[in-house]
Amino acid sequence: MMPFLTQLPRDRLTLMAGPCMLESEELARHVIEALLPICRELSVTYVFKSSFDKANRTSANSSRGPGINHGLSLLGKLREDYQIPVVTDIHSPEQARLASQVADILQIPAFLCEDKALLQASAQTGRLIQVKKGQTLPPEGLASIKTFLDSVEGCGQVILCERGTSQGYHNLVVDFRNLDVMRNLGCPVVFDATHSVQLPGAASGASSGKREHVPSLARAAAAIGIDGLFMEVHKNPDQAQSDKDTQLTPDVAIQILQQVVDLDRCRRKWTV
Amino acid sequence: MNSICHTVLWEKRPAERMPSNTEAPQSFVATFKGKENETPEDLSHGVVVVAHPEDLRTPLSVQGSGYYIPGAFCRQGDILEAVKQTRKPVWIERGSFLSPRDMTHIVSRFEGSPSLTIVEAGSHMGYDDRVLDLRSLNLYETWGAKTALSLTDLVFGGTHKSSFRPTWEDDATLQESYIKMLLRISSIENLGLVIKSLPNPSSNQNDTRTFDLLINQVKEVCGGGPRP
């Protein structure tokens, strides 16, 4: 596979967005066809995001998605049809090797961000690696992860993503200082605006969230400085099979993106 | 609740902040001679395997006499299922990001398992800091679950080597009295103990000090010493 991305652009914004779970081809196409035109209009790089396996559901009875074979096949098909890069999350070294055949960016989930075996296997694929900062990881822990990845021969560009820090049970807050820490490590910085408003495990066997805070957090991150915005987008969030309280409709996601692009253009002019 | 008071699960713990599952996935269980010479019925001594996603490619049943699931993996469905299928004793660490009550979803997955111990490694309270929420012990007891305390995580936060700010753990006197308090709690409540160490503790001065401090305190309070 020839990657569409070998580096995340630093001179313009990237949007990573799609349904939390790859529930169906129809849903994926709906989201892509809503977001891709506006990204082109705004000169934003669009990366389609979706998960083939939600491996860490709160409840054993929750749906996990299409699985690796069907899921990766579908991601590959969407990638080719729309000629857009794809990011998806992985949970084991074996998944890293398989997913690298269709994904331009491999995403390390926050819970697994210090899993050395997973990091190593991902780095060995040569793909871009997006590491989500663990919810309890102190910011200086990111430097160890970056150093480790860089030590693996053939490692692709490392992208760091902020998605909130645990503050008490069932609660996350965003420590915006982390965006500076990430940038100072020389990595492209992505802000995950929808997971940052999660209330983990707060819905009796599932995660809940405060979707209404997504726009303000996204704007704040853009003002501080990010290279990418990450949002989970669903045709009908209330019917989503995962993270239904935090996913956005395409219409809302587009409004937020437009505001973030405005702020991003201002921010790039600032010299201090 | 079965008594596992004097069992110390002695786990490999690589350096540089990386989790406890990155080398050959084996840990060692050392059983301390208890005050009454009791032998824990579920994990007498032997090898406990630290479950890791990479192991899922091979059957887990050929490995150790029990399994330890680190906190970072406590919600990974494939690991939980693979370990359950072995029908061997399981120690599962509560991730510091997870509320104690949410452990009920994990415990329910092990229904019918011969032995399940929840390892309490503390709740995240800001960067590089963990606290023992005593309510969690009460909660686990109402479920009938066995419980162990991870002294290493509770006392040293698991990440002490890279802490960027001074913490109370730097006060050695306070540290020792806190360890004693945790050991008293473990005795009163019949809790197991977990002490993590590097494969070769002498390779890291900081970890050697940490490990020796914990082991010596355990010997002093619980009596006895590790079996060879």
Side-chain angles (χ1 to χ4, degrees):
Chain A
M1 181 195 93
M2 284 297 290
F4 290 137
L5 282 179
T6 53
Q7 300 274 311
L8 203 71
R10 307 297 291 269
D11 59 348
R12 64 180 184 278
L13 198 73
T14 293
L15 174 69
M16 299 184 188
C20 175
M21 183 194 295
L22 194 53
E23 295 175 23
S24 71
E25 183 172 344
E26 183 269 332
L27 171 64
R29 289 187 185 278
H30 178 89
V31 172
I32 293 170
E33 288 170 15
L35 299 179
L36 187 55
I38 190 72
C39 284
R40 287 185 174 145
E41 185 184 322
L42 296 171
S43 297
V44 168
T45 302
Y46 177 56
V47 179
F48 177 68
K49 182 273 159 186
S50 203
S51 299
F52 58 83
D53 180 16
K54 305 305 292 180
N56 58 359
R57 302 303 303 269
T58 303
S59 167
N61 299 322
S62 299
S63 170
R64 285 182 52 169
I68 192 160
N69 293 331
H70 179 53
L72 291 181
S73 168
L74 181 51
L75 285 173
K77 186 177 172 191
L78 295 165
R79 181 180 182 277
E80 289 304 314
D81 286 354
Y82 293 99
Q83 294 289 293
I84 50 173
V86 163
V87 56
T88 195
D89 44 345
I90 50 172
H91 311 86
S92 69
E94 184 67 8
Q95 285 189 0
R97 288 183 276 275
L98 294 170
S100 68
Q101 294 165 22
V102 300
D104 302 82
I105 306 174
L106 298 178
Q107 178 171 287
I108 309 292
F111 289 147
L112 305 180
C113 72
E114 292 186 282
D115 182 350
K116 207 169 176 179
L118 181 61
L119 293 170
Q120 180 162 359
S122 303
Q124 285 169 339
T125 68
R127 294 282 176 253
L128 277 69
I129 300 174
Q130 173 157 269
V131 181
K132 290 208 166 180
K133 181 187 159 297
Q135 298 91 330
T136 61
L137 186 77
E140 69 275 12
L142 291 166
S144 302
I145 293 170
K146 170 77 164 45
T147 302
F148 176 78
L149 285 170
D150 286 344
S151 73
V152 179
E153 192 176 338
C155 181
Q157 187 185 40
V158 178
I159 303 163
L160 298 176
C161 179
E162 170 62 35
R163 52 93 75 225
T165 300
S166 291
Q167 194 194 41
Y169 303 134
H170 305 145
N171 198 26
L172 294 173
V173 294
V174 177
D175 181 350
F176 282 108
R177 297 174 301 180
N178 291 337
L179 300 181
D180 283 340
V181 173
M182 291 172 175
R183 183 166 300 283
N184 290 340
L185 289 171
C187 297
V189 178
V190 171
F191 179 64
D192 178 347
T194 46
H195 285 107
S196 291
V197 299
Q198 255 187 348
L199 301 175
S204 301
S207 284
S208 183
K210 294 282 188 184
R211 186 189 288 134
E212 64 270 28
H213 297 306
V214 172
S216 50
L217 292 185
R219 288 192 297 261
I224 292 167
I226 52 175
D227 300 290
L229 177 66
F230 181 109
M231 295 190 288
E232 290 189 331
V233 180
H234 194 284
K235 182 181 180 181
N236 185 355
D238 290 342
Q239 300 299 316
Q241 293 176 27
S242 60
D243 289 7
K244 67 186 182 67
D245 290 339
T246 53
Q247 294 200 66
L248 308 171
T249 61
D251 285 350
V252 172
I254 288 169
Q255 289 176 46
I256 294 169
L257 178 65
Q258 288 169 324
Q259 294 174 3
V260 165
V261 167
D262 283 347
L263 285 163
D264 181 67
R265 287 176 182 156
C266 280
R267 192 270 301 174
R268 288 176 191 276
K269 296 174 192 163
W270 300 338
T271 53
V272 290
Chain B
M1 186 183 292
N2 293 324
S3 171
I4 49 173
C5 179
H6 304 299
T7 297
V8 170
L9 188 63
W10 191 333
E11 188 197 9
K12 287 171 103 174
R13 180 166 165 270
E16 301 305 327
R17 295 190 48 78
M18 291 303 167
S20 53
N21 41 54
T22 53
E23 310 276 329
Q26 289 192 333
S27 302
F28 302 94
V29 175
T31 307
F32 276 73
K33 293 173 185 171
K35 287 172 185 168
E36 299 169 5
N37 258 349
E38 60 190 5
T39 303
E41 61 184 36
D42 56 348
L43 281 172
S44 52
H45 58 84
V47 177
V48 165
V49 175
V50 176
H52 185 276
E54 194 162 35
D55 304 330
L56 299 180
R57 284 179 298 169
T58 55
L60 287 176
S61 58
V62 299
Q63 299 186 33
S65 54
Y67 290 89
Y68 189 96
I69 302 176
F73 301 147
C74 74
R75 294 207 337 171
Q76 298 298 312
D78 289 340
I79 292 183
L80 300 179
E81 186 57 33
V83 169
K84 182 190 173 184
Q85 293 299 327
T86 66
R87 308 279 306 159
K88 289 183 177 176
V90 182
W91 294 48
I92 181 160
E93 187 178 298
R94 177 172 72 84
S96 63
F97 54 84
L98 195 69
S99 86
R101 194 170 292 278
D102 285 342
M103 283 301 286
T104 186
H105 303 295
I106 294 166
V107 169
S108 66
R109 295 188 192 215
F110 285 93
E111 201 171 338
S113 291
S115 172
L116 175 70
T117 302
I118 300 173
V119 178
E120 184 54 45
S123 300
H124 175 78
M125 194 175 79
Y127 300 131
D128 278 323
D129 205 5
R130 295 189 189 194
V131 294
L132 172 61
D133 184 345
L134 289 173
R135 297 171 300 181
S136 65
L137 306 181
N138 180 243
L139 194 61
Y140 304 153
E141 193 171 25
T142 65
W143 300 340
K146 289 183 285 188
T147 304
L149 300 180
S150 171
L151 293 179
T152 310
D153 291 304
L154 290 170
V155 178
F156 300 106
T159 57
H160 58 287
K161 284 194 292 294
S162 65
S163 181
F164 68 100
R165 60 184 170 84
T167 64
W168 70 270
E169 288 95 335
D170 295 332
D171 184 330
T173 307
L174 198 57
Q175 204 174 59
E176 287 185 24
S177 65
Y178 181 50
I179 295 168
K180 282 195 171 71
M181 192 189 80
L182 291 174
L183 291 171
R184 284 199 298 272
I185 291 171
S186 77
S187 289
I188 293 166
E189 298 293 326
N190 267 344
L191 309 178
L193 297 172
V194 172
I195 297 177
K196 300 176 179 178
S197 83
L198 287 164
N200 178 12
S202 62
S203 65
N204 184 299
Q205 216 171 25
N206 200 6
D207 259 49
T208 306
R209 196 168 57 244
T210 301
F211 184 76
D212 289 348
L213 176 63
L214 290 173
I215 288 292
N216 289 336
Q217 293 267 354
V218 170
K219 285 179 183 172
E220 189 182 323
V221 175
C222 295
R227 285 181 186 171

